[in-house]
Amino acid sequence: MTRTPAHPVRVIAVAGVLVAVLLAVALASMLWNDRNTRLQAAQRQSIAIASGSDRLLRAQLITMERALRGTANDGRELFARVPEQAPALFDASIRGVLERNHDLVSITLVDGRGRPLLSGRGDPTLPEWVTTQNRVLSGELYVGALEELPGGHWTVRTALPVQPDQWLLARVRLGTFQEVVSGLDLGRDGVASIGNRYGQLLAHSRDPGRLVGRTLPTPMVMVPPSTEVIPGGVVTSPSDGQLRIAAISVPPDYPLILYTALSYQEVMARWYVFLYAAIGIYLIYLLGLAFLLYAVDRSARHQARLAEELRAGNAELALAYEVGKVGTWSVQGLPPRLVWSELTRQMLGLKGNSASPEQLLALVHEDDRASLKDKLESAQAGHGALNAVYRLKLPDGSWRWLSARGELVGTEGSARRLAGVVVDVSERVQMEERALEAQRQFRLVFDRNPAPFWIFDLVTLRFIEVNQAAVAQYGYSRDEFLAMSILDIRPPEEWTEVRQSVARALRGEQEGINISTHLRKDGTAFQVQSHFANLEFAGRNASLVLAEDVSQRLRYESELAYRASHHAGTGLLTVRALAEKLDAGDNGYTIAHVQLRGLQMITDTLGREAGEDVLRAVAVRLGGLAARYGMLAHQPAEDFVLAIQGSADVQLVLDTLLAAVAEPVRGRDTLHQLEARVGVASCPTDGELAEQVLGRAAQAAHAARESGATLLRFEPGMAAHYTERLQLAGRIHMAIDHGEFELHFQPIRHAADGSPAALEALLRWPQADGSYIAPTDFIQLCEDTGLIISLGRWVIHAAARAQRQLVSAGWGQLPIAVNVSAVQLFNSDLVGDFSRAMQEFSLQPGALQMELTESVLMRNPTQALQTLGYLHANGIGVALDDFGTGFSSMSYLQHLPLDSLKIDRVFVKDVETNPRNAAICRALLSLGHSMGLSVIAEGVETDGQHRWLAAHGCDQVQGYLLGRPMPLQDILTVLDRSRRSE
């Protein structure tokens, strides 16, 4: 009879239970022994602490007895020698003892019944406690019960005999006993206390204030006296209910009880760690055993199922080979021979049913041949299974992708052979290649698109794909995105809208373009215009979303809408908005265009905030007029436009307006006087449209400024004058764009020898007929219209180019001086213009110089000083032109970073014959040299002027005598000629 083998689950279960029992016994034994060891050690420690405290308490009692015995001896001697004076002397002696011993509250001489014989308080209960059991250490000191003094303080009564029927009654502070239990090494929750035989506590280490004076708790009262410290074991402290390991000292030779106890929790703290660790180990073992039983049971069932499947699979495999066109092959024998099945032969069009491996390899594509050969040899050597994909040439000349798999079969004792299958995977390879190419193209378009794109699941709303632009826009990493849903980037109040949109998409409705609020990772919100396209992605209904950030555009459009009709700083209407309102209303109004000069100066001098404060103050003042008589608009930076409407008296309103603008305007700390010019035009007299009337009122204001009048009404002649100026300004603008301007250069020479020192660049505007428009005809217009900034930038650039040509011609030591206006100095990036020009043409420091007049500097000395400092630091020389004609402060000029002074031509004229001019020139030369500056004289036209200036130490001279302004090529010719003549 065949014996059925035991099921592995039952075997493991029995063994596991036995091990569990043994493990439980071992752990329990170990824990029990460790617990007893810790308790015994703690008991020994508490006994040791109690023994030490007992010795300390004995010392305290002995000291107390000695002090009282000395006092008693003094009393006996006094009563024996001077009985009449003894009471007073003894009383004084007692007071001295009390002063020296602060532990004693009082000492009283009493009789045998406790009645006081001297001063002090007696004790009627003295006969009751002066007994043998209350005697201390077989001496003369007796210890009685506690006594509560007024104020809640406790003392212990002691007594010592003086002579027959006389006792010293001493009341001792409990601090003497508190010192014994204080400072003991009892741990965090240990306790020590001292009690008496009356059941009262004299000292307590943890809470003396609450416990001293209370009845002594059990078990101390019940323990009989003993010469040894009595171990108390684990007890519950009645004072706080904690478990402690106690030791009790109840000595037979003095009437006090000493109790010490260590905290059970502290002593056993590490034992509990071991307990929990043991429980954990045991639970882990039980869980491991359960898992092992589960795994073994599942494995057994799985093996049974596999055996059944294997039996069915053998039959199915044959059918699969037939239906799936899977051929078989094997390599066997010596020399090795490749044998294939009939299905393999038909599938590949092979001849016969076998061939050598070399014959088959000859049909393999040359790129795959070496790899297939290595894998065949490795599989035959037993180094692993064969798994190869390669191309094979069929008899018809076509190439097919084949997948061959195989491994060694057979036992170790028999001849082993390499057997496997081969499958035609040509179609699969082609499909994978097309899929990979499509995926590559999709990733390329998706990931590198600069606009944020993502794809999300319409069912779960979770992100499926996201491109790098979205990662940068929202601040999340790609992994964070793929762990989120579309709701995580939308505010909660829009979630309902999102779900409704997704529901429409699931119904097949195409979602249009909409604008919504999105959230970045840092919580900031922004507006997004989303573009949707529904698609199927990885078998899921999804939506492709392009998220275009339109926050800036929306803000810009909103801002444009406001700015189109209002001035941001004052809140007033713009001139265009005012014109639209006037055209929309009834005809018949008067326009007062107010130019207030000085507002920009306040901003430049005191700062932008101060300028805005004054601007708002003016707006409020004129706004009051507008509220009564019409409307008010502001035209940056210094103009206001008042429209007088209705039946108001125009002249009265204008008078009120002039009075309002004439009154100083209060800023933050000072009053500011603004210069007002008012131009007036009316509708329909001066125009039918508001734009015409506004323009003519502005022309009248400009005319008022030019003539110095405070108020002017528009006249037809003004329009023609300003039309010509505007036409000329337009021509200047075009001339700058088309490069019509050119530079001429006038030499500046050393006065001593006439050698070239520098060149001054002078602007010229040639015309088609060969004539030139004089600079006086267009320079001032350029300054008025702001064109001087772009024109000046062109001049600096052209001068830098000319300097580079001088360097190429060997005259790099000659700097070129450029004239600069006030508008350039204060309203443009002059330092940047010079620096960029020098960097572009690689010029050395000092290659360019700047000339400006005193009057320009004094418009804003502080800003001028700062700008000149920056220019000087960047290697730009500074010359003060027309020196002596302005009103500058000499003390201020000495702090300016100047390089040279130019004496105006009016002082050079007739200097050799006019004593007044000669005196001025000598003074200017002396002043310039005293400041360490070079002095240049302008307008030198005669030999006499030249000789006089050279004789009086003038450094450089300039004028028609020494050379007229000419193009650069002519200057180079003159310079080369002078070099050859030397």
Side-chain angles (χ1 to χ4, degrees), residues 60 94 183 188 349 436 466 491 532 543 550 560 616 643 681 785 812 910-911:
Q60 292 281 35
I94 290 173
R188 186 181 65 230
L436 288 174
V466 62
F532 299 88
S543 179
V550 295
L560 284 181
R616 284 191 288 268
T785 58
D910 300 330
V911 67

Side-chain angles (χ1 to χ4, degrees), residues 285-313:
Y285 170 78
L286 293 179
L287 290 174
L289 178 61
F291 179 78
L292 178 62
L293 293 173
Y294 168 76
V296 171
D297 181 64
R298 186 179 63 177
S299 177
R301 291 197 303 270
H302 182 64
Q303 288 180 356
R305 186 169 58 254
L306 288 180
E308 181 64 27
E309 291 176 355
L310 184 60
R311 287 190 293 271

Side-chain angles (χ1 to χ4, degrees), residues 823-846:
V823 177
Q824 288 177 268
L825 183 64
F826 298 119
N827 298 325
S828 70
D829 183 15
L830 192 61
V831 178
D833 293 340
F834 271 105
S835 299
R836 285 188 291 272
M838 294 186 68
Q839 291 175 4
E840 180 178 352
F841 294 100
S842 303
L843 302 182
Q844 297 297 321

Side-chain angles (χ1 to χ4, degrees), residues 566-877:
H566 291 82
H567 177 255
T570 62
L572 298 178
L573 291 171
T574 62
V575 175
R576 173 171 294 183
L578 176 62
E580 293 175 355
K581 288 180 177 293
L582 291 174
D583 285 337
D586 297 332
N587 288 340
Y589 54 84
T590 299
I591 299 296
H593 188 106
V594 184
Q595 292 184 350
L596 293 176
R597 294 297 179 261
L599 281 174
Q600 189 63 43
M601 179 65 73
I602 294 171
T603 300
D604 294 340
T605 306
L606 301 180
R608 179 179 57 81
E609 292 185 0
E612 290 179 351
D613 287 344
V614 174
L615 178 63
R616 284 191 288 268
V618 173
V620 171
R621 183 180 297 177
L622 298 183
L625 287 176
R628 285 180 287 169
Y629 302 117
M631 294 183 289
L632 182 66
H634 175 58
Q635 179 172 300
E638 300 179 318
D639 293 358
F640 289 85
V641 178
L642 175 63
I644 305 170
Q645 297 176 295
S647 59
D649 186 342
V650 174
Q651 189 57 49
L652 176 61
V653 176
L654 292 177
D655 292 341
T656 306
L657 172 63
L658 292 176
V661 296
E663 183 180 350
V665 180
R666 179 172 295 278
R668 291 190 175 182
D669 302 316
T670 58
L671 291 173
H672 302 282
Q673 183 65 57
L674 303 177
E675 178 188 354
R677 295 292 184 267
V678 180
V680 181
S682 300
C683 175
T685 304
D686 299 315
E688 295 290 339
L689 298 177
E691 186 176 353
Q692 295 174 336
V693 181
L694 290 168
R696 287 169 179 173
Q699 292 175 7
H702 286 299
R705 179 163 300 281
E706 292 178 358
S707 64
T710 303
L711 183 145
L712 278 182
R713 293 183 179 272
F714 174 77
E715 296 179 357
M718 296 178 183
H721 171 71
Y722 286 106
T723 299
E724 293 177 359
R725 284 174 57 86
L726 290 175
Q727 290 175 350
L728 182 59
R731 289 185 57 196
I732 295 171
H733 192 282
M734 294 180 61
I736 296 173
D737 292 342
H738 296 162
E740 296 180 10
F741 289 97
E742 61 183 36
L743 290 183
H744 286 193
F745 300 89
Q746 186 175 23
I748 302 173
R749 299 182 180 272
H750 292 286
D753 56 7
S755 60
L759 299 177
E760 180 179 359
L762 300 171
L763 187 63
R764 296 292 184 265
W765 187 6
Q767 302 300 301
D769 58 1
S771 62
Y772 288 87
I773 297 179
T776 54
D777 293 341
F778 64 84
I779 292 296
Q780 185 59 48
L781 178 59
C782 288
E783 292 188 0
D784 292 341
T785 58
L787 290 172
I788 194 66
I789 294 178
S790 57
L791 182 59
R793 189 177 296 117
W794 178 89
V795 171
I796 293 171
H797 189 271
R801 185 190 301 111
Q803 175 62 32
R804 171 47 57 188
Q805 292 178 263
L806 287 176
V807 172
S808 301
W811 292 96
Q813 76 279 11
L814 295 181
I816 296 179
V818 177
N819 289 281
V820 173
S821 72
V823 177
Q824 288 177 268
L825 183 64
F826 298 119
N827 298 325
S828 70
D829 183 15
L830 192 61
V831 178
D833 293 340
F834 271 105
S835 299
R836 285 188 291 272
M838 294 186 68
Q839 291 175 4
E840 180 178 352
F841 294 100
S842 303
L843 302 182
Q844 297 297 321
L848 295 180
Q849 296 181 353
M850 181 185 75
E851 293 186 5
L852 69 167
T853 63
E854 292 179 75
S855 58
V856 169
L857 286 176
M858 298 314 293
R859 289 192 183 185
N860 191 339
T862 303
Q863 184 179 351
L865 177 61
Q866 184 180 21
T867 303
L868 294 185
Y870 290 147
L871 289 168
H872 198 271
N874 283 273
I876 308 300

